Amino acid sequence: MSGTSEGTGSAAGSIRSALTERHPAVRAVPDAPHDYRAAFDAAHLAMAVVGRDGEVIAANQALAALLGTESGELAGQSAADLVDLAAEARTWQAYQEVLRGRQARLRCTRRLKHPDGHSLWTEVTVGPVPGTGDVLLSVADISDRRDLQARLRHLQMHDPVTRLPNRALFFERLSAALEASAYGPGGGTGRIGLCYLDLDGFKAVNDTLGHRVGDRLLTAVAARLNRCADQIGYGRTGGHLVARLGGDEFAVLVEDSTGTEQLTDLARSVLAAVQQPFDLAGQRLSVSASIGVVERDTAGTSATGLMQAADTTLYWAKADGKARWTLFDPERNAHRMTRQALASTLRPAVERGEFTLEYQPLVDLESGTVRGVEALVRWNHPQFGVLTPNRFIGIAEEDGSIVQLGQWVLRTACRQARRWQIEQPSDSPVFVSVNVAVRQVWDSDLVGDVAEILAETGLAPQLLQLELTESAVMGSAGRPLQALQALSDMGVRIAIDDFGTGYSNLAYLSRLPVSVLKLDGSFVRGFRYEEGTHPNPADETIVEALVQLAHRLGLTVTAECVETAGQAARLRRVGCDTGQGWLYSRAVAPEVIADMIGRQAAATQRERGA
């Protein structure tokens, strides 16, 4: 090595003199300066000795070659300028700390421009030279490593079938766009949009034609999505990213969107493009897509929130019939969120006693006396206030909690009816009518529950009426029919609720153990005189025919939604037995019903005394 070093010429000589002048410790060893200087100059690692002022004292040939110059020309130049250490404030501060001896080491990555025009990636390390006050700067060319990393990243971040960005890259880009907007508008619109789509019928393609054809279809769809995104004109405002999120799900992310119209235009374009037939290796295929569209201000938006909204909207598009795009609707979403919140708290609410019952009178149309009451459940929700049955009964039927809730309603209503009977003795005590869901018949021992509750409360079976919807009763067979028959044999009344809106299988009606028909309110509303209009004569004809049919079958008829005296008079004229509606009373607390029963009993006594 020493022979090689001695023959290096003037550049090597200047390096040697600089090193020996600045490093007395090296001069103290007779042979050491010769060996160290030769090693420094011959090293393949690009290096330079830098003084406390930041200027290059000496540089080796490897650094000169890396920068495309001669080593002698580097002396006296700013090391920071050579390797771009001042480009970032954080790196520049750390470099200054190393020069001052306050920090042990700095390591960073820098992209440098070679004089011949090509760029290279380097790893720069700066550390102290012990005993001198100077620092040693080394520069390693990591371009090959970076290229390999870039290729690996591309494979990792792109879908192998369609070559589109995959889910990982999509979320990285989305998060970066939202994070950038959080630091200020930066000249953009401050908005972001997303079209989230799913192919309709793609599974059938895979199942019938195989995954190879399915992959070709996905690739063709990807190409059309890219064309749609390019043609819609995003270059004027921001960027877009078309990605395959997995399976047959794709997304088009629009950064710096200009508003909802831009996203809906894109959705229309995508829908039309996907619906055009595909010719794939002799196979002509037709598919469609369901698209969820979300566009909003980036302020306060998270990647998770945006994707949840897009996923919800895509679900709406499919639920609404597929082959369409649907725009995110905050009100519809709020209803969905409320429904989820109710579903998650419904079972515990029964145990916490959040439900109460109100009662609506069933009035004899001829005499005007209260014959019975319908028990209507209310949920005193701690967040949403008082909720009526239409807000939660459907949820309870879906998740099975209707069984537990139904048992509570039945027990509470029977106990209350028995209390009225004890407090207001009468020859004709008021019966109580309770709604029953079909799932209660299937998922519980309804007959056993009713028998147990009647025995527990002491209520006579004849004072309990169970209401089931027409569609549920008319379709009864097997276990439901057996349960209804057992209840009827026990003495419990069975009523068909909302009659006239379901199957209306009149022949089947004669074979069911039913004692009461409750006419749906849509018929009764036709009896009402409105300003400038007249009642529909067809409604009266239908109701009269139904009443006559029911009476011939030995059934009584109750009309729902009676709101005016005129309706009541006409119902009475066609022979309807009882009425229920706001004309008589809204659903009220049990104390109010007790007052009604008391006044009715007092009036009866006066009539008898007279």
Side-chain angles (χ1 to χ4, degrees):
M1 288 182 66
S2 61
T4 305
S5 177
E6 289 297 330
T8 54
S10 59
S14 64
I15 294 173
R16 288 196 297 272
S17 62
L19 285 171
T20 54
E21 289 175 5
R22 297 297 294 263
H23 298 273
V26 174
R27 289 200 305 270
V29 182
D31 294 328
H34 176 80
D35 294 337
Y36 288 158
R37 289 195 304 268
F40 177 81
D41 188 55
H44 292 292
L45 178 63
M47 295 183 289
V49 177
V50 181
R52 291 185 179 181
D53 57 1
E55 293 184 358
V56 175
I57 298 171
N60 68 358
Q61 291 295 330
L63 180 62
L66 189 71
L67 299 177
T69 185
E70 296 295 331
S71 59
E73 296 179 3
L74 297 177
Q77 293 193 42
S78 168
D81 292 343
L82 293 175
V83 291
D84 199 24
L85 293 180
E88 295 177 1
R90 197 170 178 181
T91 302
W92 172 251
Q93 183 64 32
Y95 174 60
Q96 293 296 315
E97 293 295 296
V98 174
L99 290 180
R100 297 181 186 125
R102 299 174 184 171
Q103 182 173 316
R105 183 176 295 273
L106 165 66
R107 177 173 292 172
C108 62
T109 302
R110 282 290 172 270
R111 188 176 186 181
L112 305 180
K113 190 74 174 287
H114 195 276
D116 67 5
H118 78 274
S119 297
L120 63 153
W121 283 96
T122 63
E123 185 177 77
V124 178
T125 304
V126 183
V129 178
T132 65
D134 297 329
V135 298
L136 182 66
L137 178 143
S138 63
V139 185
D141 186 350
I142 59 170
S143 298
D144 290 343
R145 189 201 312 170
R146 292 280 298 205
D147 289 344
L148 177 59
Q149 290 174 344
R151 288 195 294 272
L152 291 175
R153 174 177 167 77
H154 187 275
L155 291 174
Q156 182 184 11
M157 295 293 189
H158 286 75
D159 171 48
V161 175
T162 62
R163 308 300 183 195
L164 290 177
N166 62 12
R167 176 179 290 269
L169 182 54
F170 172 82
F171 276 99
E172 182 180 286
R173 177 80 169 265
L174 172 59
S175 299
L178 295 174
E179 184 178 351
S181 68
Y183 290 99
T189 63
R191 302 190 67 81
I192 197 163
L194 177 64
C195 286
Y196 185 26
L197 64 140
D198 177 285
L199 299 182
D200 303 323
F202 177 73
K203 185 177 184 300
V205 174
N206 266 347
D207 292 346
T208 57
L209 302 177
H211 288 274
R212 179 174 295 181
V213 175
D215 287 350
R216 289 177 179 171
L217 176 60
L218 293 174
T219 302
V221 169
R224 293 189 184 181
L225 294 181
N226 271 322
R227 283 197 297 270
C228 289
D230 290 338
Q231 292 171 2
I232 211 70
Y234 295 122
R236 297 192 302 271
T237 55
H240 67 270
L241 178 75
V242 179
R244 181 189 177 198
L245 301 187
D248 59 348
E249 295 180 0
F250 296 83
V252 184
L253 176 67
V254 180
E255 300 176 44
D256 290 325
S257 62
T258 58
T260 300
E261 185 177 354
Q262 183 186 32
L263 267 296
T264 54
D265 286 346
L266 173 61
R268 290 189 189 96
S269 175
V270 166
L271 192 61
V274 172
Q275 287 177 332
Q276 293 296 318
F278 293 86
D279 292 313
L280 304 173
Q283 297 282 352
R284 188 172 178 83
L285 303 177
S286 294
V287 294
S288 62
S290 299
I291 308 174
V293 182
V294 183
E295 200 281 336
R296 59 178 53 171
D297 196 321
T298 54
T301 297
S302 66
T304 302
L306 187 68
M307 288 308 299
Q308 285 178 341
D311 186 62
T312 297
T313 312
L314 174 60
Y315 171 79
W316 292 343
K318 285 190 169 296
D320 291 343
K322 302 182 179 180
R324 68 191 62 219
W325 59 268
T326 301
L327 184 64
F328 180 77
D329 181 357
E331 184 175 341
R332 185 175 181 180
N333 186 60
H335 177 74
R336 179 186 69 89
M337 296 297 290
T338 301
R339 183 179 176 85
Q340 290 178 346
L342 295 179
S344 64
T345 58
L346 207 157
R347 287 179 184 272
V350 178
E351 300 170 359
R352 290 194 297 264
E354 294 179 3
F355 291 93
T356 58
L357 290 185
E358 292 183 344
Y359 302 86
Q360 189 170 32
L362 301 171
V363 178
D364 187 299
L365 288 172
E366 191 65 38
S367 65
T369 58
V370 176
R371 295 298 185 192
V373 293
E374 180 180 354
L376 298 170
V377 64
R378 303 287 186 259
W379 185 356
N380 296 317
H381 197 281
Q383 180 181 355
F384 302 115
V386 179
L387 302 179
T388 53
N390 63 310
R391 295 288 302 278
F392 58 85
I393 289 298
I395 300 173
E397 290 177 343
E398 289 175 8
D399 68 7
S401 59
I402 189 65
V403 173
Q404 181 185 12
L405 178 59
Q407 290 171 343
W408 178 88
V409 171
L410 184 62
R411 178 172 282 104
T412 304
C414 289
R415 186 181 296 121
Q416 182 60 63
R418 177 58 176 160
R419 185 177 298 120
W420 286 327
Q421 185 182 15
I422 295 172
E423 294 174 353
Q424 305 282 352
S426 170
D427 295 337
S428 301
V430 170
F431 68 86
V432 65
S433 187
V434 178
N435 290 278
V436 175
V438 175
R439 190 159 183 177
Q440 289 177 256
V441 183
W442 282 108
D443 294 359
S444 68
D445 181 8
L446 181 62
V447 177
D449 289 343
V450 170
E452 178 184 338
I453 291 171
L454 290 177
E456 174 189 319
T457 60
L459 186 70
Q462 294 76 16
L463 297 181
L464 174 63
Q465 175 174 291
L466 299 181
E467 297 185 19
L468 291 91
T469 61
E470 178 185 352
S471 56
V473 175
M474 290 300 185
S476 295
R479 181 176 176 182
L481 182 57
Q482 294 169 8
L484 294 180
Q485 187 62 59
L487 290 167
S488 179
D489 293 343
M490 191 186 300
V492 175
R493 307 184 193 201
I494 305 297
I496 300 180
D497 195 15
D498 300 328
F499 187 78
T501 61
Y503 296 107
S504 298
N505 188 335
L506 300 179
Y508 193 45
L509 180 62
S510 64
R511 297 191 292 272
L512 287 171
V514 174
S515 54
V516 180
L517 295 185
K518 296 189 72 175
L519 295 181
D520 184 69
S522 59
F523 292 112
V524 179
R525 292 189 189 97
F527 279 43
R528 183 172 181 174
Y529 282 94
E530 300 288 352
E531 184 177 352
T533 64
H534 296 283
N536 186 350
D539 286 334
E540 185 169 345
T541 301
I542 293 172
V543 171
E544 185 175 8
L546 289 175
V547 170
Q548 291 177 359
L549 174 64
H551 286 169
R552 289 182 181 179
L553 292 174
L555 309 179
T556 61
V557 181
T558 298
E560 299 178 308
C561 301
V562 181
E563 299 179 356
T564 67
Q567 286 175 315
R570 300 182 71 203
L571 288 166
R572 186 166 52 251
R573 187 166 60 247
V574 298
C576 192
D577 301 291
T578 56
Q580 176 183 359
W582 289 359
L583 172 64
Y584 307 108
S585 174
R586 295 174 182 262
V588 293
E591 297 79 14
V592 179
I593 298 295
D595 290 340
M596 290 183 184
I597 297 173
R599 290 195 301 270
Q600 186 169 289
T604 302
Q605 287 182 353
R606 286 195 298 270
E607 290 176 1
R608 288 177 179 175

